[in-house]
Amino acid sequence: MTGVIVLNTDNTALHTVSVQHAVKMLVRQVAIVEEARDGHQIGPYPWPLVLRLIRYVKTNFIYARTPAWSKRGVLRRDRHLCTYCSGTADTADHLLPQSRGGTNSWLNTVAACTRCNNVKANRTPSEAGMRLAWRPWVPTWREAMPTGRG
Ligand SMILES: [Zn+2]
C-alpha cells in the first residue's frame, strides 16, 4: 500500500497518510485531490496520490516547496532508467559536469547507468554525441519521494 502525500495550502509537504486516511479526509472535506492515479476511483473520489489541505495548517517545521535534490530522487523521478541507453540506471549524470560548474540540481541531472556515465565522462551530452530520451524536470513530491515500494 502506497502512502498519500499531504500538502499544506502553500504547497509544502506535511506528511504522508494511508489511502484509507486520505479518503476520510476527502469525506470530511478537509482536503482536495491534487494528483490522482489515472483510471482508478475509490467510491466517488479519484484515487489520491497527493492531497492538498483546504485550510492552512501551521507547523513548527520548515518544509521546502519543492523536493530537495538527491541522487535517489533523480533515480526515482527517472524510474531508474538510463536516459541514454534505457538500461538500469544506478547513478545521476550531470549534464554540465560538476568539474565544469554543473550543480546538483533537478534540471542538471538525469538518471544514467555507470557505463554511459563513464562514456560521457567530462562532457555535455551534445559534446559526447549522446541523446537524452527525456529532458530533466523538477519533479512533483510524488515523483521524488520515497513512498510505497520506492
Ligand atoms: Zn546507459
Side-chain angles (χ1 to χ4, degrees), residues 34-56:
E34 178 77 14
E35 288 182 43
R37 180 168 293 166
D38 283 345
H40 288 76
Q41 295 259 134
I42 300 180
Y45 305 105
W47 187 292
L49 296 177
V50 179
L51 292 183
R52 180 196 301 281
L53 294 176
I54 288 168
R55 282 166 60 185
Y56 186 75

PDB file of all heavy atoms in Angstrom, residues 34-56:
ATOM      1  N   GLU A  34      -4.940  16.518  -5.286  1.00  0.00           N
ATOM      2  CA  GLU A  34      -4.018  17.307  -6.121  1.00  0.00           C
ATOM      3  C   GLU A  34      -3.484  16.457  -7.276  1.00  0.00           C
ATOM      4  O   GLU A  34      -3.367  16.925  -8.392  1.00  0.00           O
ATOM      5  CB  GLU A  34      -2.870  17.803  -5.249  1.00  0.00           C
ATOM      6  CG  GLU A  34      -1.813  18.609  -5.987  1.00  0.00           C
ATOM      7  CD  GLU A  34      -2.241  20.029  -6.290  1.00  0.00           C
ATOM      8  OE1 GLU A  34      -3.242  20.481  -5.701  1.00  0.00           O
ATOM      9  OE2 GLU A  34      -1.595  20.677  -7.126  1.00  0.00           O
ATOM     10  N   GLU A  35      -3.138  15.218  -6.991  1.00  0.00           N
ATOM     11  CA  GLU A  35      -2.719  14.284  -8.028  1.00  0.00           C
ATOM     12  C   GLU A  35      -3.441  12.972  -7.772  1.00  0.00           C
ATOM     13  O   GLU A  35      -3.549  12.543  -6.623  1.00  0.00           O
ATOM     14  CB  GLU A  35      -1.212  14.015  -7.985  1.00  0.00           C
ATOM     15  CG  GLU A  35      -0.343  15.166  -8.457  1.00  0.00           C
ATOM     16  CD  GLU A  35       1.143  14.796  -8.433  1.00  0.00           C
ATOM     17  OE1 GLU A  35       1.472  13.673  -8.850  1.00  0.00           O
ATOM     18  OE2 GLU A  35       1.933  15.615  -7.965  1.00  0.00           O
ATOM     19  N   ALA A  36      -3.896  12.346  -8.850  1.00  0.00           N
ATOM     20  CA  ALA A  36      -4.641  11.101  -8.705  1.00  0.00           C
ATOM     21  C   ALA A  36      -4.051  10.041  -9.618  1.00  0.00           C
ATOM     22  O   ALA A  36      -3.350  10.335 -10.587  1.00  0.00           O
ATOM     23  CB  ALA A  36      -6.112  11.317  -9.045  1.00  0.00           C
ATOM     24  N   ARG A  37      -4.335   8.810  -9.280  1.00  0.00           N
ATOM     25  CA  ARG A  37      -3.899   7.689 -10.113  1.00  0.00           C
ATOM     26  C   ARG A  37      -4.863   7.566 -11.290  1.00  0.00           C
ATOM     27  O   ARG A  37      -6.071   7.471 -11.102  1.00  0.00           O
ATOM     28  CB  ARG A  37      -3.892   6.415  -9.280  1.00  0.00           C
ATOM     29  CG  ARG A  37      -3.461   5.183 -10.051  1.00  0.00           C
ATOM     30  CD  ARG A  37      -3.194   4.046  -9.102  1.00  0.00           C
ATOM     31  NE  ARG A  37      -2.018   4.338  -8.277  1.00  0.00           N
ATOM     32  CZ  ARG A  37      -1.699   3.656  -7.170  1.00  0.00           C
ATOM     33  NH1 ARG A  37      -2.473   2.684  -6.751  1.00  0.00           N
ATOM     34  NH2 ARG A  37      -0.628   3.977  -6.497  1.00  0.00           N
ATOM     35  N   ASP A  38      -4.318   7.573 -12.480  1.00  0.00           N
ATOM     36  CA  ASP A  38      -5.152   7.528 -13.679  1.00  0.00           C
ATOM     37  C   ASP A  38      -6.065   6.309 -13.679  1.00  0.00           C
ATOM     38  O   ASP A  38      -5.612   5.197 -13.453  1.00  0.00           O
ATOM     39  CB  ASP A  38      -4.276   7.480 -14.937  1.00  0.00           C
ATOM     40  CG  ASP A  38      -3.699   8.848 -15.268  1.00  0.00           C
ATOM     41  OD1 ASP A  38      -4.206   9.834 -14.715  1.00  0.00           O
ATOM     42  OD2 ASP A  38      -2.755   8.906 -16.065  1.00  0.00           O
ATOM     43  N   GLY A  39      -7.331   6.551 -13.955  1.00  0.00           N
ATOM     44  CA  GLY A  39      -8.262   5.451 -14.184  1.00  0.00           C
ATOM     45  C   GLY A  39      -8.669   4.694 -12.939  1.00  0.00           C
ATOM     46  O   GLY A  39      -9.294   3.645 -13.043  1.00  0.00           O
ATOM     47  N   HIS A  40      -8.319   5.187 -11.753  1.00  0.00           N
ATOM     48  CA  HIS A  40      -8.699   4.499 -10.522  1.00  0.00           C
ATOM     49  C   HIS A  40      -9.586   5.407  -9.669  1.00  0.00           C
ATOM     50  O   HIS A  40      -9.319   6.585  -9.523  1.00  0.00           O
ATOM     51  CB  HIS A  40      -7.469   4.105  -9.702  1.00  0.00           C
ATOM     52  CG  HIS A  40      -6.702   2.975 -10.315  1.00  0.00           C
ATOM     53  ND1 HIS A  40      -5.884   3.139 -11.412  1.00  0.00           N
ATOM     54  CD2 HIS A  40      -6.635   1.661  -9.985  1.00  0.00           C
ATOM     55  CE1 HIS A  40      -5.339   1.977 -11.723  1.00  0.00           C
ATOM     56  NE2 HIS A  40      -5.775   1.060 -10.887  1.00  0.00           N
ATOM     57  N   GLN A  41     -10.627   4.815  -9.111  1.00  0.00           N
ATOM     58  CA  GLN A  41     -11.548   5.557  -8.242  1.00  0.00           C
ATOM     59  C   GLN A  41     -11.650   4.827  -6.922  1.00  0.00           C
ATOM     60  O   GLN A  41     -11.492   3.618  -6.854  1.00  0.00           O
ATOM     61  CB  GLN A  41     -12.941   5.589  -8.865  1.00  0.00           C
ATOM     62  CG  GLN A  41     -13.047   6.336 -10.166  1.00  0.00           C
ATOM     63  CD  GLN A  41     -13.622   7.724  -9.968  1.00  0.00           C
ATOM     64  OE1 GLN A  41     -13.098   8.674 -10.499  1.00  0.00           O
ATOM     65  NE2 GLN A  41     -14.674   7.844  -9.180  1.00  0.00           N
ATOM     66  N   ILE A  42     -11.931   5.574  -5.871  1.00  0.00           N
ATOM     67  CA  ILE A  42     -12.367   4.967  -4.618  1.00  0.00           C
ATOM     68  C   ILE A  42     -13.729   5.563  -4.339  1.00  0.00           C
ATOM     69  O   ILE A  42     -13.822   6.722  -3.959  1.00  0.00           O
ATOM     70  CB  ILE A  42     -11.399   5.265  -3.456  1.00  0.00           C
ATOM     71  CG1 ILE A  42     -10.003   4.729  -3.772  1.00  0.00           C
ATOM     72  CG2 ILE A  42     -11.924   4.642  -2.161  1.00  0.00           C
ATOM     73  CD1 ILE A  42      -8.990   4.973  -2.677  1.00  0.00           C
ATOM     74  N   GLY A  43     -14.775   4.801  -4.566  1.00  0.00           N
ATOM     75  CA  GLY A  43     -16.114   5.365  -4.454  1.00  0.00           C
ATOM     76  C   GLY A  43     -16.223   6.543  -5.409  1.00  0.00           C
ATOM     77  O   GLY A  43     -15.852   6.425  -6.577  1.00  0.00           O
ATOM     78  N   PRO A  44     -16.696   7.682  -4.922  1.00  0.00           N
ATOM     79  CA  PRO A  44     -16.871   8.839  -5.814  1.00  0.00           C
ATOM     80  C   PRO A  44     -15.567   9.608  -6.039  1.00  0.00           C
ATOM     81  O   PRO A  44     -15.546  10.562  -6.814  1.00  0.00           O
ATOM     82  CB  PRO A  44     -17.876   9.716  -5.058  1.00  0.00           C
ATOM     83  CG  PRO A  44     -17.620   9.397  -3.613  1.00  0.00           C
ATOM     84  CD  PRO A  44     -17.195   7.938  -3.564  1.00  0.00           C
ATOM     85  N   TYR A  45     -14.481   9.201  -5.388  1.00  0.00           N
ATOM     86  CA  TYR A  45     -13.261  10.001  -5.412  1.00  0.00           C
ATOM     87  C   TYR A  45     -12.218   9.412  -6.361  1.00  0.00           C
ATOM     88  O   TYR A  45     -12.105   8.201  -6.488  1.00  0.00           O
ATOM     89  CB  TYR A  45     -12.642  10.088  -4.013  1.00  0.00           C
ATOM     90  CG  TYR A  45     -13.592  10.603  -2.980  1.00  0.00           C
ATOM     91  CD1 TYR A  45     -14.163   9.747  -2.051  1.00  0.00           C
ATOM     92  CD2 TYR A  45     -13.929  11.956  -2.954  1.00  0.00           C
ATOM     93  CE1 TYR A  45     -15.055  10.214  -1.101  1.00  0.00           C
ATOM     94  CE2 TYR A  45     -14.818  12.437  -2.005  1.00  0.00           C
ATOM     95  CZ  TYR A  45     -15.381  11.561  -1.076  1.00  0.00           C
ATOM     96  OH  TYR A  45     -16.265  12.036  -0.147  1.00  0.00           O
ATOM     97  N   PRO A  46     -11.435  10.301  -7.016  1.00  0.00           N
ATOM     98  CA  PRO A  46     -10.270   9.795  -7.732  1.00  0.00           C
ATOM     99  C   PRO A  46      -9.287   9.212  -6.728  1.00  0.00           C
ATOM    100  O   PRO A  46      -9.187   9.701  -5.603  1.00  0.00           O
ATOM    101  CB  PRO A  46      -9.688  11.040  -8.407  1.00  0.00           C
ATOM    102  CG  PRO A  46     -10.302  12.209  -7.736  1.00  0.00           C
ATOM    103  CD  PRO A  46     -11.554  11.754  -7.046  1.00  0.00           C
ATOM    104  N   TRP A  47      -8.578   8.142  -7.098  1.00  0.00           N
ATOM    105  CA  TRP A  47      -7.625   7.501  -6.194  1.00  0.00           C
ATOM    106  C   TRP A  47      -6.512   8.509  -5.876  1.00  0.00           C
ATOM    107  O   TRP A  47      -5.748   8.881  -6.750  1.00  0.00           O
ATOM    108  CB  TRP A  47      -7.041   6.253  -6.844  1.00  0.00           C
ATOM    109  CG  TRP A  47      -6.182   5.446  -5.923  1.00  0.00           C
ATOM    110  CD1 TRP A  47      -4.967   5.828  -5.411  1.00  0.00           C
ATOM    111  CD2 TRP A  47      -6.456   4.146  -5.403  1.00  0.00           C
ATOM    112  NE1 TRP A  47      -4.484   4.843  -4.591  1.00  0.00           N
ATOM    113  CE2 TRP A  47      -5.356   3.797  -4.571  1.00  0.00           C
ATOM    114  CE3 TRP A  47      -7.516   3.251  -5.564  1.00  0.00           C
ATOM    115  CZ2 TRP A  47      -5.301   2.575  -3.909  1.00  0.00           C
ATOM    116  CZ3 TRP A  47      -7.446   2.038  -4.903  1.00  0.00           C
ATOM    117  CH2 TRP A  47      -6.354   1.713  -4.081  1.00  0.00           C
ATOM    118  N   PRO A  48      -6.402   8.948  -4.614  1.00  0.00           N
ATOM    119  CA  PRO A  48      -5.471  10.045  -4.327  1.00  0.00           C
ATOM    120  C   PRO A  48      -4.016   9.600  -4.249  1.00  0.00           C
ATOM    121  O   PRO A  48      -3.700   8.547  -3.687  1.00  0.00           O
ATOM    122  CB  PRO A  48      -5.948  10.554  -2.962  1.00  0.00           C
ATOM    123  CG  PRO A  48      -6.569   9.355  -2.313  1.00  0.00           C
ATOM    124  CD  PRO A  48      -7.129   8.497  -3.421  1.00  0.00           C
ATOM    125  N   LEU A  49      -3.151  10.380  -4.856  1.00  0.00           N
ATOM    126  CA  LEU A  49      -1.708  10.209  -4.684  1.00  0.00           C
ATOM    127  C   LEU A  49      -1.153  11.361  -3.843  1.00  0.00           C
ATOM    128  O   LEU A  49      -0.267  11.182  -3.035  1.00  0.00           O
ATOM    129  CB  LEU A  49      -1.001  10.187  -6.038  1.00  0.00           C
ATOM    130  CG  LEU A  49      -1.362   9.015  -6.959  1.00  0.00           C
ATOM    131  CD1 LEU A  49      -0.655   9.163  -8.304  1.00  0.00           C
ATOM    132  CD2 LEU A  49      -1.012   7.689  -6.315  1.00  0.00           C
ATOM    133  N   VAL A  50      -1.690  12.560  -4.115  1.00  0.00           N
ATOM    134  CA  VAL A  50      -1.298  13.749  -3.355  1.00  0.00           C
ATOM    135  C   VAL A  50      -2.562  14.516  -2.999  1.00  0.00           C
ATOM    136  O   VAL A  50      -3.429  14.720  -3.850  1.00  0.00           O
ATOM    137  CB  VAL A  50      -0.360  14.665  -4.184  1.00  0.00           C
ATOM    138  CG1 VAL A  50       0.028  15.906  -3.384  1.00  0.00           C
ATOM    139  CG2 VAL A  50       0.883  13.908  -4.630  1.00  0.00           C
ATOM    140  N   LEU A  51      -2.682  14.894  -1.742  1.00  0.00           N
ATOM    141  CA  LEU A  51      -3.808  15.710  -1.284  1.00  0.00           C
ATOM    142  C   LEU A  51      -3.318  17.110  -0.957  1.00  0.00           C
ATOM    143  O   LEU A  51      -2.173  17.303  -0.575  1.00  0.00           O
ATOM    144  CB  LEU A  51      -4.426  15.127  -0.005  1.00  0.00           C
ATOM    145  CG  LEU A  51      -5.159  13.804  -0.068  1.00  0.00           C
ATOM    146  CD1 LEU A  51      -5.727  13.501   1.327  1.00  0.00           C
ATOM    147  CD2 LEU A  51      -6.267  13.826  -1.089  1.00  0.00           C
ATOM    148  N   ARG A  52      -4.224  18.071  -1.093  1.00  0.00           N
ATOM    149  CA  ARG A  52      -3.917  19.421  -0.624  1.00  0.00           C
ATOM    150  C   ARG A  52      -4.967  19.805   0.422  1.00  0.00           C
ATOM    151  O   ARG A  52      -6.161  19.642   0.203  1.00  0.00           O
ATOM    152  CB  ARG A  52      -3.968  20.415  -1.782  1.00  0.00           C
ATOM    153  CG  ARG A  52      -3.641  21.855  -1.332  1.00  0.00           C
ATOM    154  CD  ARG A  52      -4.079  22.839  -2.391  1.00  0.00           C
ATOM    155  NE  ARG A  52      -3.408  22.565  -3.654  1.00  0.00           N
ATOM    156  CZ  ARG A  52      -2.152  22.941  -3.893  1.00  0.00           C
ATOM    157  NH1 ARG A  52      -1.477  23.611  -2.992  1.00  0.00           N
ATOM    158  NH2 ARG A  52      -1.603  22.655  -5.041  1.00  0.00           N
ATOM    159  N   LEU A  53      -4.492  20.296   1.541  1.00  0.00           N
ATOM    160  CA  LEU A  53      -5.406  20.724   2.600  1.00  0.00           C
ATOM    161  C   LEU A  53      -6.174  21.958   2.146  1.00  0.00           C
ATOM    162  O   LEU A  53      -5.670  22.780   1.387  1.00  0.00           O
ATOM    163  CB  LEU A  53      -4.640  21.058   3.884  1.00  0.00           C
ATOM    164  CG  LEU A  53      -3.942  19.882   4.563  1.00  0.00           C
ATOM    165  CD1 LEU A  53      -3.149  20.374   5.769  1.00  0.00           C
ATOM    166  CD2 LEU A  53      -4.957  18.834   4.996  1.00  0.00           C
ATOM    167  N   ILE A  54      -7.410  22.081   2.601  1.00  0.00           N
ATOM    168  CA  ILE A  54      -8.217  23.238   2.243  1.00  0.00           C
ATOM    169  C   ILE A  54      -7.884  24.426   3.145  1.00  0.00           C
ATOM    170  O   ILE A  54      -7.883  25.559   2.715  1.00  0.00           O
ATOM    171  CB  ILE A  54      -9.716  22.864   2.308  1.00  0.00           C
ATOM    172  CG1 ILE A  54     -10.034  21.942   1.113  1.00  0.00           C
ATOM    173  CG2 ILE A  54     -10.604  24.097   2.297  1.00  0.00           C
ATOM    174  CD1 ILE A  54     -11.372  21.265   1.184  1.00  0.00           C
ATOM    175  N   ARG A  55      -7.582  24.123   4.397  1.00  0.00           N
ATOM    176  CA  ARG A  55      -7.202  25.205   5.308  1.00  0.00           C
ATOM    177  C   ARG A  55      -5.759  25.026   5.746  1.00  0.00           C
ATOM    178  O   ARG A  55      -5.305  23.923   5.999  1.00  0.00           O
ATOM    179  CB  ARG A  55      -8.134  25.234   6.524  1.00  0.00           C
ATOM    180  CG  ARG A  55      -9.462  25.873   6.147  1.00  0.00           C
ATOM    181  CD  ARG A  55     -10.521  25.638   7.171  1.00  0.00           C
ATOM    182  NE  ARG A  55     -10.177  26.176   8.479  1.00  0.00           N
ATOM    183  CZ  ARG A  55     -10.936  25.991   9.555  1.00  0.00           C
ATOM    184  NH1 ARG A  55     -12.061  25.297   9.459  1.00  0.00           N
ATOM    185  NH2 ARG A  55     -10.590  26.492  10.708  1.00  0.00           N
ATOM    186  N   TYR A  56      -5.075  26.168   5.842  1.00  0.00           N
ATOM    187  CA  TYR A  56      -3.653  26.154   6.173  1.00  0.00           C
ATOM    188  C   TYR A  56      -3.431  25.589   7.574  1.00  0.00           C
ATOM    189  O   TYR A  56      -4.154  25.909   8.514  1.00  0.00           O
ATOM    190  CB  TYR A  56      -3.098  27.578   6.104  1.00  0.00           C
ATOM    191  CG  TYR A  56      -1.605  27.648   6.279  1.00  0.00           C
ATOM    192  CD1 TYR A  56      -0.754  27.261   5.252  1.00  0.00           C
ATOM    193  CD2 TYR A  56      -1.039  28.090   7.467  1.00  0.00           C
ATOM    194  CE1 TYR A  56       0.617  27.312   5.401  1.00  0.00           C
ATOM    195  CE2 TYR A  56       0.334  28.152   7.626  1.00  0.00           C
ATOM    196  CZ  TYR A  56       1.157  27.763   6.591  1.00  0.00           C
ATOM    197  OH  TYR A  56       2.508  27.810   6.744  1.00  0.00           O
TER     198      TYR A  56
END
